[in-house]
Amino acid sequence: MRLSKQSNYAIRALIYCAANPNGLSRIRDIGDAFGVSEMFLFKILVPIGRSGLLTTVRGRNGGVRLGAAADQITVMDVLRVTEEDFDLSECVRERCAHCPLTTHCRYETALSDALRAFTKVLESYTIADLVADRDAVVKTLGLTEPSKQDRVTWTTDNLAART
């Protein structure tokens, strides 16, 4: 079994968004970080956006960001959007009418068990888990921490001081 490039880059894009300290990520920046074209990424991210895993902000200063908290998006959530199916064999998809073992076949059972185990593991990992070493991910992807000015937390005291 091999996951598609779409799945791999969709996961990478979500990792990028989770690691991005500024909140919005430009598709161009994600593409540059992973060496993939904007058009390819756009094609991948449209269904991810439709699923709600990403939110798109249009406009000159637009971009994409996670549609839910990183610890609420599992790897399997992404794969369900990007992969056509998870059939390991035609035996899983449809009983093989031409196979003499159809009524006594344990192969189909073994493949179904393997798929359930695969799914269970990928449901246990979230995007937050993949960005657990955030500092290393930020550094590797060339993201920068926001400046001290960007880190100001606005409170009613801040607003009163400005008036």
Side-chain angles (χ1 to χ4, degrees):
M1 173 188 227
R2 171 172 269 182
L3 296 176
S4 66
K5 285 183 181 181
Q6 288 86 347
S7 292
N8 287 323
Y9 284 110
I11 294 289
R12 292 175 193 186
L14 291 174
I15 288 170
Y16 187 100
C17 290
N20 184 0
N22 298 318
L24 280 178
S25 301
R26 295 182 323 156
I27 292 176
R28 174 183 295 144
D29 295 336
I30 297 169
D32 289 347
F34 294 111
V36 64
S37 77
E38 285 181 62
M39 290 304 292
F40 182 66
L41 265 181
F42 184 77
K43 177 184 162 193
I44 293 167
L45 296 181
V46 166
I48 299 295
R50 283 190 197 128
S51 75
L53 298 175
L54 275 180
T55 300
T56 304
V57 176
R58 293 181 179 257
R60 187 176 138 188
N61 294 317
V64 294
R65 65 175 161 239
L66 296 180
D71 64 353
Q72 298 299 308
I73 301 172
T74 69
V75 171
M76 198 63 206
D77 291 335
V78 180
L79 299 183
R80 283 185 183 108
V81 174
T82 57
E83 292 295 326
E84 280 186 42
D85 62 53
F86 294 97
D87 297 338
L88 300 176
S89 166
E90 63 185 11
C91 296
V92 175
R93 191 174 331 114
E94 57 191 54
R95 290 219 178 243
C96 302
H98 63 278
C99 180
L101 296 175
T102 55
T103 57
H104 305 292
C105 185
R106 300 285 297 153
Y107 179 54
E108 177 186 353
T109 303
L111 292 176
S112 294
D113 289 349
L115 184 56
R116 273 192 298 281
F118 174 81
T119 302
K120 184 177 180 180
V121 168
L122 294 180
E123 285 175 341
S124 73
Y125 282 90
T126 66
I127 298 300
D129 294 329
L130 303 182
V131 188
D133 188 356
R134 187 175 170 279
D135 291 341
V137 173
V138 165
K139 184 178 179 181
T140 301
L141 293 177
L143 295 166
T144 57
E145 290 294 333
S147 68
K148 287 183 182 180
Q149 183 178 11
D150 293 338
R151 291 186 198 164
V152 173
T153 303
W154 290 103
T155 66
T156 53
D157 294 337
N158 295 101
L159 294 174
R162 293 185 65 181
T163 57

Short mmCIF file of all heavy atoms in Angstrom, two decimals, residues 21-79:
data_model
loop_
_atom_site.label_atom_id
_atom_site.label_comp_id
_atom_site.label_asym_id
_atom_site.label_seq_id
_atom_site.Cartn_x
_atom_site.Cartn_y
_atom_site.Cartn_z
N PRO A 21 3.45 30.39 13.22
CA PRO A 21 3.10 31.22 14.37
C PRO A 21 2.26 32.44 14.01
O PRO A 21 1.63 33.04 14.87
CB PRO A 21 4.46 31.64 14.92
CG PRO A 21 5.37 31.59 13.76
CD PRO A 21 4.87 30.46 12.89
N ASN A 22 2.22 32.80 12.74
CA ASN A 22 1.48 34.00 12.33
C ASN A 22 0.03 33.72 11.96
O ASN A 22 -0.70 34.63 11.63
CB ASN A 22 2.19 34.68 11.17
CG ASN A 22 3.58 35.14 11.57
OD1 ASN A 22 3.77 35.66 12.66
ND2 ASN A 22 4.55 34.90 10.73
N GLY A 23 -0.36 32.47 11.96
CA GLY A 23 -1.77 32.14 11.73
C GLY A 23 -2.16 31.82 10.30
O GLY A 23 -2.68 30.77 10.04
N LEU A 24 -1.91 32.72 9.35
CA LEU A 24 -2.25 32.47 7.95
C LEU A 24 -1.01 32.04 7.18
O LEU A 24 0.06 32.61 7.35
CB LEU A 24 -2.80 33.73 7.30
CG LEU A 24 -4.26 34.07 7.57
CD1 LEU A 24 -4.64 35.38 6.88
CD2 LEU A 24 -5.18 32.96 7.14
N SER A 25 -1.18 31.04 6.36
CA SER A 25 -0.07 30.54 5.54
C SER A 25 -0.43 30.73 4.07
O SER A 25 -1.54 30.41 3.65
CB SER A 25 0.15 29.05 5.80
OG SER A 25 0.44 28.83 7.16
N ARG A 26 0.51 31.26 3.33
CA ARG A 26 0.29 31.42 1.89
C ARG A 26 0.66 30.13 1.17
O ARG A 26 1.65 29.48 1.52
CB ARG A 26 1.13 32.58 1.35
CG ARG A 26 0.71 33.92 1.93
CD ARG A 26 1.48 35.09 1.39
NE ARG A 26 2.88 34.78 1.16
CZ ARG A 26 3.65 35.42 0.30
NH1 ARG A 26 3.19 36.42 -0.40
NH2 ARG A 26 4.91 35.08 0.15
N ILE A 27 -0.13 29.79 0.18
CA ILE A 27 0.13 28.56 -0.58
C ILE A 27 1.52 28.62 -1.20
O ILE A 27 2.24 27.62 -1.24
CB ILE A 27 -0.98 28.31 -1.62
CG1 ILE A 27 -2.27 27.98 -0.87
CG2 ILE A 27 -0.60 27.20 -2.58
CD1 ILE A 27 -3.48 27.80 -1.76
N ARG A 28 1.93 29.78 -1.65
CA ARG A 28 3.27 29.95 -2.24
C ARG A 28 4.35 29.56 -1.22
O ARG A 28 5.30 28.86 -1.55
CB ARG A 28 3.48 31.39 -2.69
CG ARG A 28 4.93 31.64 -3.16
CD ARG A 28 5.16 33.07 -3.55
NE ARG A 28 4.35 33.38 -4.71
CZ ARG A 28 3.77 34.55 -4.93
NH1 ARG A 28 3.89 35.53 -4.07
NH2 ARG A 28 3.05 34.76 -6.01
N ASP A 29 4.19 29.99 0.02
CA ASP A 29 5.19 29.69 1.06
C ASP A 29 5.21 28.20 1.39
O ASP A 29 6.28 27.62 1.58
CB ASP A 29 4.91 30.50 2.32
CG ASP A 29 5.06 31.99 2.09
OD1 ASP A 29 5.80 32.39 1.16
OD2 ASP A 29 4.44 32.77 2.85
N ILE A 30 4.04 27.59 1.44
CA ILE A 30 3.98 26.15 1.70
C ILE A 30 4.66 25.40 0.56
O ILE A 30 5.46 24.49 0.79
CB ILE A 30 2.52 25.68 1.86
CG1 ILE A 30 1.86 26.35 3.07
CG2 ILE A 30 2.46 24.16 2.00
CD1 ILE A 30 0.35 26.15 3.15
N GLY A 31 4.36 25.80 -0.66
CA GLY A 31 4.98 25.16 -1.83
C GLY A 31 6.49 25.32 -1.84
O GLY A 31 7.22 24.37 -2.12
N ASP A 32 6.96 26.52 -1.51
CA ASP A 32 8.41 26.76 -1.45
C ASP A 32 9.06 25.87 -0.38
O ASP A 32 10.14 25.32 -0.60
CB ASP A 32 8.71 28.23 -1.15
CG ASP A 32 8.39 29.14 -2.33
OD1 ASP A 32 8.17 28.64 -3.45
OD2 ASP A 32 8.35 30.37 -2.11
N ALA A 33 8.41 25.74 0.76
CA ALA A 33 8.98 24.95 1.86
C ALA A 33 9.13 23.48 1.47
O ALA A 33 10.10 22.83 1.88
CB ALA A 33 8.10 25.07 3.10
N PHE A 34 8.22 22.96 0.66
CA PHE A 34 8.25 21.54 0.33
C PHE A 34 8.65 21.25 -1.11
O PHE A 34 8.66 20.10 -1.54
CB PHE A 34 6.88 20.90 0.63
CG PHE A 34 6.56 20.89 2.09
CD1 PHE A 34 5.55 21.69 2.59
CD2 PHE A 34 7.27 20.10 2.97
CE1 PHE A 34 5.25 21.70 3.94
CE2 PHE A 34 6.99 20.10 4.32
CZ PHE A 34 5.97 20.90 4.82
N GLY A 35 8.99 22.31 -1.87
CA GLY A 35 9.44 22.11 -3.24
C GLY A 35 8.36 21.59 -4.17
O GLY A 35 8.61 20.71 -4.99
N VAL A 36 7.16 22.14 -4.04
CA VAL A 36 6.05 21.71 -4.88
C VAL A 36 5.35 22.96 -5.43
O VAL A 36 5.37 24.02 -4.80
CB VAL A 36 5.07 20.81 -4.06
CG1 VAL A 36 4.42 21.56 -2.93
CG2 VAL A 36 4.05 20.14 -4.93
N SER A 37 4.75 22.82 -6.60
CA SER A 37 4.15 23.99 -7.25
C SER A 37 2.88 24.44 -6.54
O SER A 37 2.17 23.65 -5.92
CB SER A 37 3.84 23.68 -8.72
OG SER A 37 2.67 22.88 -8.81
N GLU A 38 2.60 25.73 -6.70
CA GLU A 38 1.38 26.30 -6.12
C GLU A 38 0.15 25.64 -6.73
O GLU A 38 -0.83 25.39 -6.02
CB GLU A 38 1.31 27.80 -6.40
CG GLU A 38 2.23 28.62 -5.55
CD GLU A 38 2.09 30.10 -5.87
OE1 GLU A 38 0.98 30.65 -5.68
OE2 GLU A 38 3.09 30.69 -6.33
N MET A 39 0.17 25.38 -8.02
CA MET A 39 -1.00 24.78 -8.69
C MET A 39 -1.29 23.39 -8.14
O MET A 39 -2.44 23.03 -7.91
CB MET A 39 -0.78 24.71 -10.21
CG MET A 39 -0.81 26.07 -10.88
SD MET A 39 -2.34 26.99 -10.56
CE MET A 39 -3.51 26.01 -11.46
N PHE A 40 -0.24 22.60 -7.92
CA PHE A 40 -0.42 21.26 -7.36
C PHE A 40 -0.99 21.36 -5.95
O PHE A 40 -1.94 20.65 -5.61
CB PHE A 40 0.92 20.51 -7.37
CG PHE A 40 0.83 19.11 -6.85
CD1 PHE A 40 0.11 18.14 -7.53
CD2 PHE A 40 1.48 18.75 -5.67
CE1 PHE A 40 0.04 16.84 -7.05
CE2 PHE A 40 1.41 17.45 -5.19
CZ PHE A 40 0.68 16.50 -5.88
N LEU A 41 -0.44 22.25 -5.14
CA LEU A 41 -0.94 22.43 -3.78
C LEU A 41 -2.38 22.93 -3.79
O LEU A 41 -3.20 22.46 -2.99
CB LEU A 41 -0.08 23.44 -3.02
CG LEU A 41 1.02 22.88 -2.17
CD1 LEU A 41 1.77 24.00 -1.47
CD2 LEU A 41 0.52 21.87 -1.17
N PHE A 42 -2.68 23.87 -4.65
CA PHE A 42 -4.04 24.40 -4.72
C PHE A 42 -5.02 23.28 -5.02
O PHE A 42 -6.08 23.17 -4.38
CB PHE A 42 -4.13 25.51 -5.78
CG PHE A 42 -5.47 26.15 -5.82
CD1 PHE A 42 -5.85 27.07 -4.86
CD2 PHE A 42 -6.37 25.83 -6.83
CE1 PHE A 42 -7.12 27.66 -4.90
CE2 PHE A 42 -7.63 26.41 -6.87
CZ PHE A 42 -8.00 27.33 -5.91
N LYS A 43 -4.67 22.43 -5.98
CA LYS A 43 -5.53 21.29 -6.34
C LYS A 43 -5.77 20.38 -5.14
O LYS A 43 -6.87 19.88 -4.94
CB LYS A 43 -4.86 20.51 -7.48
CG LYS A 43 -5.58 19.28 -7.92
CD LYS A 43 -4.79 18.54 -8.98
CE LYS A 43 -5.28 17.12 -9.09
NZ LYS A 43 -4.39 16.28 -9.85
N ILE A 44 -4.75 20.18 -4.34
CA ILE A 44 -4.85 19.32 -3.16
C ILE A 44 -5.67 19.99 -2.06
O ILE A 44 -6.48 19.35 -1.39
CB ILE A 44 -3.44 19.00 -2.62
CG1 ILE A 44 -2.67 18.14 -3.60
CG2 ILE A 44 -3.50 18.34 -1.26
CD1 ILE A 44 -1.20 18.06 -3.30
N LEU A 45 -5.45 21.29 -1.87
CA LEU A 45 -6.04 21.97 -0.73
C LEU A 45 -7.50 22.34 -0.91
O LEU A 45 -8.20 22.58 0.08
CB LEU A 45 -5.20 23.19 -0.37
CG LEU A 45 -3.77 22.86 0.09
CD1 LEU A 45 -3.03 24.13 0.46
CD2 LEU A 45 -3.76 21.87 1.24
N VAL A 46 -8.00 22.36 -2.14
CA VAL A 46 -9.42 22.67 -2.36
C VAL A 46 -10.31 21.66 -1.63
O VAL A 46 -11.17 22.06 -0.85
CB VAL A 46 -9.75 22.78 -3.87
CG1 VAL A 46 -11.25 22.75 -4.10
CG2 VAL A 46 -9.14 24.05 -4.44
N PRO A 47 -10.14 20.35 -1.84
CA PRO A 47 -11.00 19.42 -1.10
C PRO A 47 -10.75 19.44 0.41
O PRO A 47 -11.66 19.21 1.19
CB PRO A 47 -10.69 18.05 -1.71
CG PRO A 47 -9.45 18.22 -2.50
CD PRO A 47 -9.29 19.66 -2.82
N ILE A 48 -9.52 19.74 0.81
CA ILE A 48 -9.23 19.84 2.24
C ILE A 48 -10.00 21.02 2.84
O ILE A 48 -10.55 20.93 3.94
CB ILE A 48 -7.70 20.01 2.48
CG1 ILE A 48 -6.93 18.81 1.94
CG2 ILE A 48 -7.40 20.22 3.95
CD1 ILE A 48 -7.20 17.51 2.62
N GLY A 49 -10.07 22.11 2.10
CA GLY A 49 -10.85 23.26 2.54
C GLY A 49 -12.34 22.95 2.59
O GLY A 49 -13.03 23.32 3.54
N ARG A 50 -12.84 22.27 1.56
CA ARG A 50 -14.26 21.91 1.54
C ARG A 50 -14.63 21.01 2.71
O ARG A 50 -15.75 21.06 3.20
CB ARG A 50 -14.60 21.19 0.23
CG ARG A 50 -14.74 22.10 -0.93
CD ARG A 50 -15.32 21.36 -2.14
NE ARG A 50 -15.08 22.14 -3.33
CZ ARG A 50 -14.51 21.68 -4.43
NH1 ARG A 50 -14.15 20.42 -4.52
NH2 ARG A 50 -14.32 22.47 -5.46
N SER A 51 -13.69 20.19 3.15
CA SER A 51 -13.95 19.27 4.26
C SER A 51 -13.99 19.99 5.60
O SER A 51 -14.43 19.42 6.59
CB SER A 51 -12.89 18.18 4.29
OG SER A 51 -11.67 18.70 4.80
N GLY A 52 -13.47 21.21 5.64
CA GLY A 52 -13.42 21.96 6.90
C GLY A 52 -12.12 21.81 7.66
O GLY A 52 -11.94 22.43 8.71
N LEU A 53 -11.19 21.01 7.14
CA LEU A 53 -9.90 20.84 7.81
C LEU A 53 -9.02 22.07 7.68
O LEU A 53 -8.14 22.31 8.50
CB LEU A 53 -9.18 19.60 7.29
CG LEU A 53 -9.91 18.27 7.51
CD1 LEU A 53 -9.15 17.13 6.83
CD2 LEU A 53 -10.10 18.00 8.99
N LEU A 54 -9.24 22.83 6.62
CA LEU A 54 -8.56 24.11 6.41
C LEU A 54 -9.61 25.19 6.20
O LEU A 54 -10.68 24.92 5.68
CB LEU A 54 -7.69 24.07 5.14
CG LEU A 54 -6.29 23.53 5.22
CD1 LEU A 54 -5.62 23.61 3.85
CD2 LEU A 54 -5.44 24.24 6.24
N THR A 55 -9.25 26.40 6.59
CA THR A 55 -10.07 27.57 6.33
C THR A 55 -9.28 28.47 5.39
O THR A 55 -8.09 28.67 5.58
CB THR A 55 -10.37 28.34 7.64
OG1 THR A 55 -11.05 27.45 8.52
CG2 THR A 55 -11.22 29.55 7.39
N THR A 56 -9.96 29.00 4.39
CA THR A 56 -9.32 29.86 3.41
C THR A 56 -9.74 31.30 3.66
O THR A 56 -10.92 31.58 3.87
CB THR A 56 -9.74 29.45 1.98
OG1 THR A 56 -9.43 28.08 1.80
CG2 THR A 56 -9.03 30.27 0.94
N VAL A 57 -8.76 32.19 3.62
CA VAL A 57 -9.02 33.62 3.74
C VAL A 57 -8.58 34.23 2.42
O VAL A 57 -7.41 34.15 2.05
CB VAL A 57 -8.25 34.24 4.92
CG1 VAL A 57 -8.46 35.74 4.97
CG2 VAL A 57 -8.66 33.58 6.23
N ARG A 58 -9.53 34.80 1.70
CA ARG A 58 -9.22 35.39 0.39
C ARG A 58 -8.66 36.79 0.54
O ARG A 58 -8.78 37.42 1.58
CB ARG A 58 -10.48 35.43 -0.46
CG ARG A 58 -10.97 34.07 -0.85
CD ARG A 58 -12.21 34.21 -1.72
NE ARG A 58 -12.68 32.91 -2.12
CZ ARG A 58 -12.50 32.38 -3.31
NH1 ARG A 58 -11.85 33.04 -4.23
NH2 ARG A 58 -12.95 31.19 -3.59
N GLY A 59 -8.09 37.26 -0.54
CA GLY A 59 -7.62 38.64 -0.57
C GLY A 59 -6.11 38.74 -0.58
O GLY A 59 -5.39 37.75 -0.49
N ARG A 60 -5.66 39.98 -0.66
CA ARG A 60 -4.24 40.25 -0.78
C ARG A 60 -3.43 39.69 0.38
O ARG A 60 -2.33 39.18 0.21
CB ARG A 60 -4.04 41.76 -0.88
CG ARG A 60 -2.64 42.15 -1.16
CD ARG A 60 -2.52 43.62 -1.34
NE ARG A 60 -1.32 44.04 -0.65
CZ ARG A 60 -0.97 45.26 -0.45
NH1 ARG A 60 -1.73 46.23 -0.86
NH2 ARG A 60 0.13 45.54 0.17
N ASN A 61 -3.94 39.78 1.56
CA ASN A 61 -3.25 39.25 2.73
C ASN A 61 -3.83 37.93 3.18
O ASN A 61 -3.71 37.55 4.35
CB ASN A 61 -3.31 40.27 3.87
CG ASN A 61 -2.54 41.53 3.53
OD1 ASN A 61 -1.44 41.45 3.00
ND2 ASN A 61 -3.14 42.67 3.80
N GLY A 62 -4.45 37.22 2.26
CA GLY A 62 -5.12 35.97 2.58
C GLY A 62 -4.16 34.80 2.70
O GLY A 62 -2.94 34.94 2.61
N GLY A 63 -4.74 33.66 2.90
CA GLY A 63 -3.97 32.43 3.03
C GLY A 63 -4.86 31.33 3.57
O GLY A 63 -6.09 31.42 3.49
N VAL A 64 -4.23 30.33 4.12
CA VAL A 64 -4.97 29.21 4.71
C VAL A 64 -4.52 29.01 6.14
O VAL A 64 -3.40 29.38 6.51
CB VAL A 64 -4.79 27.90 3.89
CG1 VAL A 64 -5.39 28.02 2.51
CG2 VAL A 64 -3.33 27.50 3.80
N ARG A 65 -5.42 28.45 6.94
CA ARG A 65 -5.09 28.08 8.32
C ARG A 65 -5.93 26.86 8.66
O ARG A 65 -6.89 26.53 7.97
CB ARG A 65 -5.35 29.23 9.27
CG ARG A 65 -6.79 29.63 9.39
CD ARG A 65 -6.97 30.71 10.46
NE ARG A 65 -8.24 31.37 10.23
CZ ARG A 65 -8.40 32.65 10.01
NH1 ARG A 65 -7.36 33.45 10.00
NH2 ARG A 65 -9.59 33.16 9.80
N LEU A 66 -5.57 26.22 9.73
CA LEU A 66 -6.30 25.04 10.15
C LEU A 66 -7.76 25.40 10.42
O LEU A 66 -8.06 26.46 10.97
CB LEU A 66 -5.68 24.44 11.41
CG LEU A 66 -4.26 23.90 11.27
CD1 LEU A 66 -3.79 23.34 12.61
CD2 LEU A 66 -4.17 22.83 10.20
N GLY A 67 -8.65 24.50 10.03
CA GLY A 67 -10.07 24.71 10.25
C GLY A 67 -10.53 24.26 11.62
O GLY A 67 -11.66 24.49 12.01
N ALA A 68 -9.65 23.61 12.35
CA ALA A 68 -9.92 23.16 13.72
C ALA A 68 -8.58 23.15 14.44
O ALA A 68 -7.52 23.30 13.82
CB ALA A 68 -10.53 21.76 13.72
N ALA A 69 -8.62 22.97 15.73
CA ALA A 69 -7.38 22.89 16.49
C ALA A 69 -6.56 21.70 15.99
O ALA A 69 -7.11 20.66 15.62
CB ALA A 69 -7.69 22.73 17.98
N ALA A 70 -5.24 21.87 15.98
CA ALA A 70 -4.35 20.82 15.48
C ALA A 70 -4.52 19.51 16.22
O ALA A 70 -4.35 18.44 15.64
CB ALA A 70 -2.90 21.29 15.57
N ASP A 71 -4.90 19.58 17.49
CA ASP A 71 -5.09 18.34 18.25
C ASP A 71 -6.45 17.70 18.00
O ASP A 71 -6.75 16.65 18.55
CB ASP A 71 -4.86 18.56 19.74
CG ASP A 71 -5.86 19.53 20.36
OD1 ASP A 71 -6.66 20.14 19.64
OD2 ASP A 71 -5.82 19.65 21.61
N GLN A 72 -7.25 18.31 17.14
CA GLN A 72 -8.56 17.76 16.78
C GLN A 72 -8.59 17.17 15.37
O GLN A 72 -9.59 16.58 14.97
CB GLN A 72 -9.63 18.85 16.90
CG GLN A 72 -9.79 19.40 18.29
CD GLN A 72 -10.21 18.32 19.28
OE1 GLN A 72 -11.19 17.61 19.05
NE2 GLN A 72 -9.46 18.18 20.36
N ILE A 73 -7.51 17.35 14.61
CA ILE A 73 -7.44 16.83 13.24
C ILE A 73 -6.50 15.63 13.24
O ILE A 73 -5.32 15.75 13.53
CB ILE A 73 -6.89 17.90 12.27
CG1 ILE A 73 -7.79 19.14 12.30
CG2 ILE A 73 -6.79 17.32 10.86
CD1 ILE A 73 -7.21 20.32 11.51
N THR A 74 -7.05 14.46 12.91
CA THR A 74 -6.21 13.27 12.87
C THR A 74 -5.64 13.07 11.47
O THR A 74 -6.17 13.60 10.48
CB THR A 74 -6.99 12.00 13.27
OG1 THR A 74 -7.96 11.69 12.25
CG2 THR A 74 -7.67 12.15 14.62
N VAL A 75 -4.59 12.30 11.41
CA VAL A 75 -4.01 11.95 10.11
C VAL A 75 -5.07 11.23 9.27
O VAL A 75 -5.22 11.49 8.08
CB VAL A 75 -2.75 11.08 10.29
CG1 VAL A 75 -2.26 10.53 8.97
CG2 VAL A 75 -1.65 11.88 10.99
N MET A 76 -5.85 10.38 9.91
CA MET A 76 -6.88 9.65 9.18
C MET A 76 -7.96 10.57 8.63
O MET A 76 -8.49 10.32 7.55
CB MET A 76 -7.49 8.57 10.09
CG MET A 76 -8.22 7.50 9.34
SD MET A 76 -7.10 6.57 8.27
CE MET A 76 -8.25 6.01 7.04
N ASP A 77 -8.27 11.67 9.34
CA ASP A 77 -9.23 12.65 8.82
C ASP A 77 -8.77 13.17 7.46
O ASP A 77 -9.57 13.32 6.53
CB ASP A 77 -9.37 13.85 9.77
CG ASP A 77 -10.05 13.53 11.08
OD1 ASP A 77 -10.84 12.56 11.13
OD2 ASP A 77 -9.79 14.25 12.06
N VAL A 78 -7.49 13.44 7.35
CA VAL A 78 -6.94 13.97 6.11
C VAL A 78 -6.97 12.90 5.02
O VAL A 78 -7.37 13.16 3.88
CB VAL A 78 -5.51 14.50 6.31
CG1 VAL A 78 -4.93 15.05 5.01
CG2 VAL A 78 -5.47 15.55 7.41
N LEU A 79 -6.56 11.69 5.37
CA LEU A 79 -6.53 10.61 4.37
C LEU A 79 -7.91 10.26 3.85
O LEU A 79 -8.06 9.90 2.68
CB LEU A 79 -5.85 9.37 4.97
CG LEU A 79 -4.40 9.55 5.39
CD1 LEU A 79 -3.84 8.23 5.90
CD2 LEU A 79 -3.56 10.11 4.28
#
